[in-house]
C-alpha cells in the first residue's frame, strides 16, 4: 500500500479582532462570536488543504477558553426566551422519577448488595446487608460525600474482595477518564494507604490481597497489566504484561466460576486471550490462541459435569460467531469442539455460563433473543418476550452455582423491568419495574417497527414510538436518532424523560443503520472502512421513507446523534440539508481527517480498523469524500445545536468548535448554529443526576422550539 508523505506548514494570519469576552447584546440582533482565522496548511502527497480553525485545538491558549465562553454566552442569549420552558420540562422529568429509590439487591456469597438514591442527592449510595434483606444496612460508599470536593465525579471500578472485606473503587474527577483506585477496609470503614493512579480494569485474585489492574498510555489505550499487593506502593507493583502494538488494547476480568483470571488483548477485529488460575496470582498467564487477523474470540469457564472447560465464542470460519468448547488442560484451537454452530441469519453476540446452564445472547432480524441450554442434557429453550420490539439484557448475576438468571426487559412503552428467571421451571418473577410517577399509562402509546428501502436494495429497520391519536398525514413533528458505528446496535429502551416529547405530539424514532450489528456481522461490515458511506445513505433513506409515508415532513423532522453518531449527523447534513429542520450533535466526531492523522490523540491508532488510516491514499481519498468538517460548503443548512465537553478524551471539544466556526463561515442561510461547551466535563456530560436532567431539559426544549412547540 502506498503511503502518503505528510508535511505541515502553519501560517499565522489573524483576520479577526473579536473581543472574545464580549457578551452578545440581547436587546439587539444576537451575533455569534467570530473565531480567529489562523491558517494551517496540510499537504498529503499532491493534495493540500487549509484548516483555518486548527488553533481552537489548544485549550491552554487563553483565547480559546475566551472563545468557548463567548460561544456559551451567545447560546445562553439565544436560548434565554426558553428558560421558563426549560424549567417546566425539567420539573416534568423530575416529577416522573422516584428520587428516593432502591435497586434490586443481588447476592454475592452471604451478602446482598444494592444501591439506593435519596431525594436531593446527585449520586447513588452503595450498600449491602449480610445474611438476609432484614439485616442491618452497611454503607460501603456514599458517592455524594466525595462529590462535595469536586464539580465532576464518575465512579469506575467497584470491586469487593472475594472474602468481602476490602472494597476497591476508582474515581474520575474531571471527565478526562483518568481514574484513581482507592481501597476501603469494610471491617473498619477505614481507607487503606494504597492508592493507584491511571487505572482501568481491576481484578482480585482469590488470596484477597493481590490486585491485577491495567493502565493506559498517552493515547488512553490500556496497554499494561500490573500486579499489586495490598500494603505496598504503586512503585513496587510488578509489570506482568505490556501490549506494544498500538492497534491493540487490553482488559482483564475474572470468570463467574471465580477460578480463572483472563487477560484479553483486543483490536476491533482480533483477540488474543490469556488465563491465570485465580488461586495462583504469582503464576504465569497462559495463551489460549494467538492473535490472527479477523479472528475475534471471547472466553468463559464452566465445571459442568465435573469437567474443567473453557467455552469460546469465535468467528473462526463463522462470520456471525459460533460457540466451541476446549479443555482447560489444552485449550488450543486444535482441541476446539463445536457446541453451537454458525447460523447465517443469527448473530451470536455473547454467552454467560453458570454451573449447569449457559445463556446465549442472539440477534435475529434485529430482535434480541436469549437461548438457555442445560449443560447436563444439552436441551435448550428460549425465554419468551411479550412485545415485537424490545430490549433484554443480563442483569447482576454474580453467583455461579445457581438455577436463577436475572435479566432486564424494556421497550419504548414498557418501563425497565428486572426479572428472576428459573432455569428449571422456566418461570419468571418480576422483582421491580421502574416506577413512573404521575400516572403513566403505557396503553396511551404505540410502538412499531418499519423498514426503509435503500438504493442498493437493503431494508433498514426503523423503530418508532408515539402517543395514540397520531395520524400519518405528514403534519407531525418527528425526532430521528441514529449511530451506526463499531458494530453497536442501538437498543429500543424506555425513557420516562421522553414522555415530555411524546405528550407534545412528537414521534420518536431510531434508524438502525449499517455500521451497527442489528442485522448481524454483515450489517456492521457494510458500514465501516471503505463502506462507511452506507451509514449515511441508510439514514437518509430512513428520513425519506418517514417523509414519504407521511409520518412527518422535512420541515418537521429533527435529527440527533452523539460521538460517532455526531459524525452521522454532520455527514447527512452536508449531503441533504434540505431534508432536516434542525440537528442536535452531541460531542460529534466531525473532523475525521485531521483527527485520524494525529496519532498522539487518544484512540486514533486503534481506530484505523474502523475508519481507515488516512496516511494511506486509498483511505484518505475516501474519508475526504464524507468528513463533515472537510465537506462543509456554501449552501443552506438547517438550524444546528452542537454540544461538546472541554475535558473529553474521546472526541476533542475542538472538533465541534471548528465545525461550528466553518459552518457559520460557509452557510448561505439565516438559520442559527449554536455551540455549547461543558467546561467541566468530558464525553458523557455532567455526572450528577440532577445536572444531567437539566441537560436533557435543555436539549428537549431546543428540539421542541424547532417544532414551534413552546409550552
Amino acid at each position: 500500500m502506498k503511503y502518503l508523505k505528510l508535511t505541515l506548514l502553519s501560517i499565522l494570519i489573524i483576520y479577526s479582532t473579536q473581543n472574545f469576552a464580549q457578551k452578545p447584546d440581547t436587546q439587539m440582533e444576537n451575533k455569534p462570536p467570530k473565531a480567529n482565522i489562523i491558517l494551517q496548511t496540510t499537504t498529503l502527497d499532491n493534495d493540500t488543504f487549509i484548516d483555518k480553525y486548527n488553533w481552537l485545538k489548544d485549550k491552554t491558549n487563553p483565547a480559546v477558553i475566551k472563545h468557548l465562553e463567548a460561544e456559551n454566552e451567545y447560546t445562553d442569549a439565544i436560548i434565554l426566551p426558553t428558560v421558563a420552558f426549560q424549567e417546566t420540562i425539567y420539573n416534568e422529568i423530575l416529577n416522573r422519577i422516584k428520587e428516593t429509590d432502591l435497586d434490586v439487591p443481588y447476592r454475592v456469597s452471604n451478602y446482598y448488595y444494592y444501591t439506593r438514591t435519596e431525594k436531593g442527592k446527585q449520586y447513588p449510595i452503595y450498600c449491602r446487608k449480610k445474611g438476609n434483606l432484614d439485616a442491618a444496612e452497611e454503607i460501603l460508599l456514599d458517592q455524594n460525600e466525595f462529590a462535595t470536593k469536586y464539580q465532576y465525579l464518575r465512579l469506575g471500578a467497584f470491586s469487593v474482595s472475594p472474602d468481602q472485606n476490602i472494597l476497591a473503587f476508582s474515581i474520575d474527577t474531571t471527565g478526562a477518564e483518568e481514574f484513581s483506585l482507592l481501597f476501603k477496609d469494610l471491617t473498619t470503614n477505614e481507607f487503606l494507604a494504597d492508592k493507584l493512579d491511571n487505572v482501568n480494569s481491576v481484578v482480585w485474585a482469590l488470596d484477597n490481597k493481590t490486585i491485577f489492574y491495567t493502565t493506559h498510555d498517552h493515547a488512553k489505550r490500556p496497554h499494561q497489566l500490573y500486579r499489586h499487593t495490598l500494603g505496598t506502593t504503586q512503585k513496587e507493583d510488578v509489570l506482568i504484561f505490556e501490549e506494544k502494538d498500538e492497534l491493540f488494547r487490553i482488559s482483564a476480568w475474572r470468570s463467574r466460576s471465580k477460578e480463572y483470571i483472563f487477560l484479553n488483548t483486543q483490536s476491533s477485529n482480533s483477540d488474543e486471550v490469556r488465563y491465570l488460575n485465580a488461586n495462583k496470582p504469582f503464576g504465569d498467564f497462559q495463551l489460549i490462541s494467538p492473535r490472527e487477523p479477523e479472528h475475534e474470540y471471547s472466553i468463559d469457564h464452566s465445571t459442568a459435569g465435573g469437567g474443567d472447560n473453557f467455552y469460546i465464542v469465535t468467528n473462526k470460519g463463522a462470520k456471525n460467531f459460533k460457540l466451541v468448547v476446549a479443555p482447560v488442560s489444552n485449550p488450543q484451537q486444535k482441541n476446539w469442539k463445536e457446541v453451537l454452530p454458525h447460523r447465517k441469519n443469527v448473530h451470536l453476540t455473547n454467552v454467560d455460563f453458570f454451573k449447569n446452564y449457559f445463556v446465549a445472547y442472539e440477534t435475529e432480524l434485529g430482535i434480541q433473543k436469549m437461548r438457555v441450554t442445560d449443560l447436563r442434557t444439552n436441551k435448550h429453550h428460549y425465554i419468551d418476550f411479550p412485545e415485537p420490539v424490545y430490549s433484554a439484557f443480563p442483569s447482576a448475576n454474580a453467583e455461579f452455582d445457581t438455577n436463577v438468571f436475572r435479566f432486564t426487559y424494556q421497550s419504548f412503552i414498557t418501563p425497565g423491568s428486572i426479572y428472576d428467571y428459573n432455569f428449571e421451571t422456566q418461570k419468571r418473577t418480576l422483582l421491580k419495574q421502574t416506577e413512573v410517577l404521575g400516572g403513566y399509562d403505557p396503553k396511551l402509546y404505540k410502538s412499531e417497527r418499519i423498514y426503509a428501502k435503500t438504493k442498493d436494495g437493503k431494508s433498514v429497520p426503523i423503530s418508532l414510538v408515539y402517543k395514540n391519536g397520531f395520524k400519518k398525514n405528514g403534519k407531525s413533528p418527528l425526532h430521528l436518532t441514529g449511530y451506526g458505528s463499531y458494530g453497536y446496535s442501538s437498543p429500543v429502551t424506555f425513557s420516562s424523560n421522553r414522555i415530555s416529547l411524546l405528550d407534545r405530539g412528537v414521534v420518536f424514532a431510531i434508524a438502525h443503520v449499517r455500521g451497527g450489528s442489528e442485522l448481524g456481522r454483515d450489517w456492521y461490515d457494510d458500514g465501516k472502512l471503505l463502506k462507511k458511506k452506507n451509514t449515511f445513505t441508510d439514514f437518509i433513506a430512513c428520513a425519506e421513507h418517514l417523509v414519504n409515508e407521511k409520518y412527518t415532513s422535512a420541515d418537521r423532522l429533527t435529527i440527533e446523534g452523539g460521538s460517532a453518531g455526531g459524525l452521522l449527523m454532520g455527514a447527512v447534513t452536508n449531503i441533504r440539508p434540505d431534508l432536516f429542520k434542525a440537528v442536535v450533535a452531541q460531542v460529534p466526531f466531525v473532523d475525521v481527517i485531521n483527527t485520524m492523522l494525529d496519532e498522539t490523540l487518544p484512540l486514533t491508532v486503534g481506530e484505523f480498523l474502523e475508519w481507515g488510516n488516512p496516511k494511506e491514499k486509498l483511505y484518505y481519498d475516501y474519508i475526504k469524500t464524507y468528513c463533515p468538517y472537510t465537506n462543509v460548503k456554501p449552501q443552506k443548512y438547517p438550524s444546528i445545536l452542537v454540544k461538546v465537553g472541554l475535558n473529553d478524551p474521546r472526541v476533542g471539544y475542538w472538533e465541534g468548535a471548528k465545525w461550528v466556526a466553518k459552518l457559520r463561515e460557509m452557510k448561505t442561510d439565516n438559520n442559527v448554529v449554536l455551540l455549547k461547551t461543558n467546561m467541566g466535563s468530558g464525553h458523557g456530560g455532567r455526572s450528577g443526576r440532577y445536572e444531567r436532567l437539566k441537560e436533557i431539559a435543555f436539549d428537549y426544549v431546543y428540539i421542541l422550539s424547532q417544532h414551534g412547540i413552546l409550552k
Side-chain angles (χ1 to χ4, degrees):
M1 179 65 70
K2 180 181 179 182
Y3 279 77
L4 295 163
K5 183 179 180 181
L6 174 64
T7 62
L8 294 177
L9 174 64
S10 296
I11 308 171
L12 275 61
I13 305 177
I14 309 294
Y15 283 108
S16 172
T17 57
Q18 170 74 28
N19 180 356
F20 292 98
Q22 181 178 354
K23 185 175 181 178
D25 186 351
T26 57
Q27 302 301 315
M28 304 172 59
E29 179 185 2
N30 288 309
K31 293 185 178 180
K34 288 185 178 179
N36 283 351
I37 297 177
I38 304 176
L39 302 187
Q40 174 173 290
T41 301
T42 302
T43 300
L44 288 168
D45 201 8
N46 295 320
D47 186 76
T48 298
F49 63 91
I50 296 174
D51 185 358
K52 297 180 180 180
Y53 303 109
N54 184 67
W55 69 278
L56 287 167
K57 188 176 177 180
D58 182 12
K59 72 176 180 180
T60 65
N61 180 353
V64 172
I65 300 301
K66 289 181 179 179
H67 175 74
L68 298 176
E69 290 172 343
E71 287 280 12
N72 281 348
E73 291 175 352
Y74 171 66
T75 296
D76 289 343
I78 292 294
I79 300 295
L80 183 61
T82 71
V83 169
F85 191 21
Q86 289 182 51
E87 188 68 17
T88 297
I89 296 293
Y90 171 75
N91 286 328
E92 284 182 8
I93 292 173
L94 184 61
N95 290 336
R96 295 190 196 101
I97 295 172
K98 192 174 182 181
E99 296 179 69
T100 298
D101 203 0
L102 178 73
D103 284 346
V104 177
Y106 62 93
R107 185 169 66 89
V108 180
S109 187
N110 59 335
Y111 282 93
Y112 289 87
Y113 289 83
Y114 59 95
T115 62
R116 58 180 178 84
T117 55
E118 293 182 1
K119 184 175 182 178
K121 294 186 177 181
Q122 294 274 13
Y123 299 97
I125 302 168
Y126 296 80
C127 310
R128 71 180 181 182
K129 294 183 177 182
K130 186 175 183 179
N132 59 71
L133 295 176
D134 294 325
E137 178 180 86
E138 178 184 350
I139 295 179
L140 309 182
L141 180 68
D142 186 344
Q143 199 172 335
N144 299 283
E145 294 179 359
F146 278 86
T148 59
K149 304 176 184 178
Y150 310 105
Q151 290 185 338
Y152 178 97
L153 183 67
R154 177 183 167 192
L155 187 67
F158 186 92
S159 182
V160 179
S161 59
D163 64 6
Q164 315 292 300
N165 290 334
I166 306 290
L167 169 65
F169 68 98
S170 63
I171 56 173
D172 168 25
T173 60
T174 66
E177 301 183 22
E178 295 281 350
F179 288 92
S180 295
L181 186 67
L182 306 175
F183 296 86
K184 183 180 180 182
D185 187 329
L186 299 179
T187 65
T188 65
N189 280 326
E190 298 292 330
F191 284 91
L192 305 185
D194 306 56
K195 180 177 180 294
L196 310 179
D197 293 321
N198 185 24
V199 171
N200 300 102
S201 304
V202 174
V203 184
W204 285 95
L206 294 181
D207 65 359
N208 300 297
K209 61 182 181 181
T210 304
I211 282 271
F212 291 93
Y213 65 94
T214 62
T215 64
H216 59 247
D217 61 12
H218 69 282
K220 293 292 195 323
R221 177 182 68 97
H223 72 303
Q224 293 178 325
L225 178 75
Y226 283 89
R227 184 179 64 226
H228 174 78
T229 302
L230 292 182
T232 64
T233 66
Q234 190 167 12
K235 290 183 179 180
E236 299 174 79
D237 291 349
V238 178
L239 176 62
I240 301 299
F241 179 85
E242 181 174 12
E243 177 53 60
K244 295 183 178 181
D245 188 335
E246 291 185 89
L247 285 174
F248 286 80
R249 49 199 295 126
I250 68 173
S251 60
W253 72 99
R254 196 178 66 214
S255 63
R256 183 177 284 106
S257 68
K258 300 183 180 180
E259 294 192 23
Y260 292 96
I261 295 171
F262 296 114
L263 171 64
N264 187 22
T265 304
Q266 180 182 49
S267 73
S268 68
N269 67 359
S270 179
D271 290 282
E272 184 175 78
V273 182
R274 291 171 170 81
Y275 65 99
L276 175 71
N277 189 314
N279 279 301
K280 300 177 180 179
F282 291 88
D284 295 325
F285 279 85
Q286 303 297 314
L287 180 64
I288 288 182
S289 182
R291 68 188 67 175
E292 303 172 74
E294 306 295 332
H295 182 208
E296 301 172 54
Y297 69 96
S298 59
I299 305 293
D300 208 335
H301 173 251
S302 178
T303 56
D308 192 16
N309 294 307
F310 288 139
Y311 284 83
I312 303 160
V313 177
T314 172
N315 69 345
K316 187 78 169 182
K319 193 163 193 176
N320 279 332
F321 294 85
K322 63 184 178 181
L323 179 66
V324 300
V325 63
V328 170
S329 59
N330 194 1
Q332 285 73 37
Q333 278 193 40
K334 63 182 180 180
N335 294 317
W336 291 6
K337 295 182 180 180
E338 191 173 88
V339 177
L340 281 181
H342 175 261
R343 288 155 291 171
K344 182 178 180 181
N345 296 319
V346 178
H347 183 204
L348 177 63
T349 60
N350 202 2
V351 179
D352 270 329
F353 274 82
F354 302 88
K355 183 175 181 180
N356 294 316
Y357 297 88
F358 72 83
V359 182
Y361 307 105
E362 305 172 348
T363 303
E364 185 173 9
L365 297 176
I367 303 299
Q368 293 174 291
K369 295 184 176 182
M370 292 181 178
R371 171 178 171 144
V372 177
T373 299
D374 188 327
L375 285 163
R376 297 163 298 186
T377 65
N378 287 324
K379 293 182 178 179
H380 77 272
H381 65 274
Y382 284 89
I383 299 176
D384 294 326
F385 298 110
E387 296 172 277
V389 182
Y390 58 86
S391 288
F393 300 101
S395 184
N397 290 287
E399 291 298 291
F400 181 63
D401 187 1
T402 180
N403 292 327
V404 177
F405 168 65
R406 183 167 293 179
F407 68 88
T408 64
Y409 173 88
Q410 59 187 305
S411 72
F412 272 151
I413 60 178
T414 301
S417 308
I418 300 177
Y419 289 91
D420 270 354
Y421 181 83
N422 189 295
F423 287 138
E424 294 181 352
T425 66
Q426 301 183 25
K427 292 182 179 180
R428 74 193 74 193
T429 301
L430 177 62
L431 303 177
K432 180 178 181 179
Q433 185 173 86
T434 300
E435 190 172 351
V436 183
L437 304 182
Y440 171 72
D441 184 356
K443 295 179 181 178
L444 297 178
Y445 306 89
K446 183 179 179 181
S447 173
E448 62 175 310
R449 174 163 285 179
I450 60 176
Y451 295 84
K453 207 74 172 179
T454 66
K455 291 182 180 179
D456 62 347
K458 303 295 183 181
S459 294
V460 184
I462 308 172
S463 299
L464 302 106
V465 62
Y466 45 80
K467 193 170 186 179
N468 292 346
F470 161 74
K471 296 180 180 179
K472 290 170 59 176
N473 56 15
K475 296 181 180 180
S476 293
L478 189 147
H479 191 59
L480 178 65
T481 66
Y483 188 75
S485 292
Y486 305 108
Y488 174 75
S489 298
S490 298
V492 175
T493 56
F494 180 82
S495 170
S496 63
N497 304 331
R498 194 184 297 134
I499 296 171
S500 290
L501 297 179
L502 302 180
D503 283 357
R504 287 174 171 83
V506 178
V507 179
F508 180 82
I510 300 173
H512 301 282
V513 295
R514 278 175 282 186
S517 295
E518 284 90 340
L519 299 185
R521 187 55 185 248
D522 283 336
W523 203 245
Y524 171 37
D525 290 341
D526 280 348
K528 64 185 291 192
L529 296 173
L530 298 175
K531 296 181 179 180
K532 185 63 207 172
K533 286 192 281 189
N534 284 335
T535 303
F536 316 137
T537 54
D538 281 3
F539 191 88
I540 290 170
C542 289
E544 290 175 334
H545 183 73
L546 291 166
V547 170
N548 293 337
E549 294 298 311
K550 297 189 181 302
Y551 283 88
T552 189
S553 58
D555 61 348
R556 294 175 173 84
L557 176 58
T558 56
I559 60 175
E560 181 174 2
S563 196
L567 162 63
L568 172 60
M569 296 300 102
V572 301
T573 303
N574 281 333
I575 298 168
R576 287 294 309 276
D578 60 304
L579 190 53
F580 313 111
K581 171 68 175 175
V583 181
V584 179
Q586 308 272 6
V587 291
F589 175 42
V590 286
D591 191 14
V592 185
I593 286 182
N594 284 318
T595 292
M596 296 305 296
L597 283 172
D598 189 348
E599 296 182 15
T600 68
L601 292 175
L603 308 181
T604 292
V605 174
E607 305 230 330
F608 287 159
L609 298 175
E610 180 74 21
W611 313 103
N613 184 350
K615 291 180 184 177
E616 298 180 23
K617 181 173 173 53
L618 178 66
Y619 290 110
Y620 172 80
D621 289 344
Y622 186 75
I623 294 172
K624 188 178 179 182
T625 64
Y626 71 75
C627 174
Y629 180 65
T630 304
N631 286 281
V632 173
K633 57 189 175 184
Q635 64 178 353
K636 292 182 178 180
Y637 280 90
S639 299
I640 301 174
L641 169 64
V642 180
K643 298 180 70 180
V644 298
L646 185 65
N647 299 326
D648 191 342
R650 296 177 180 269
V651 179
Y653 71 88
W654 58 85
E655 295 204 28
K658 289 168 58 177
W659 184 39
V660 166
K662 191 172 183 180
L663 281 166
R664 294 212 188 107
E665 173 198 355
M666 303 291 288
K667 70 190 190 73
T668 61
D669 58 83
N670 293 320
N671 292 324
V672 176
V673 177
L674 299 177
L675 173 67
K676 188 172 180 64
T677 304
N678 192 315
M679 306 299 285
S681 73
H683 199 62
R686 297 179 181 179
S687 57
R689 60 172 177 159
Y690 294 107
E691 295 303 314
R692 180 60 187 142
L693 293 182
K694 289 178 181 177
E695 288 189 338
I696 293 171
F698 178 93
D699 296 346
Y700 278 10
V701 167
Y702 177 82
I703 295 164
L704 291 167
S705 65
Q706 294 300 316
H707 291 302
I709 302 171
L710 300 175
K711 62 180 183 178

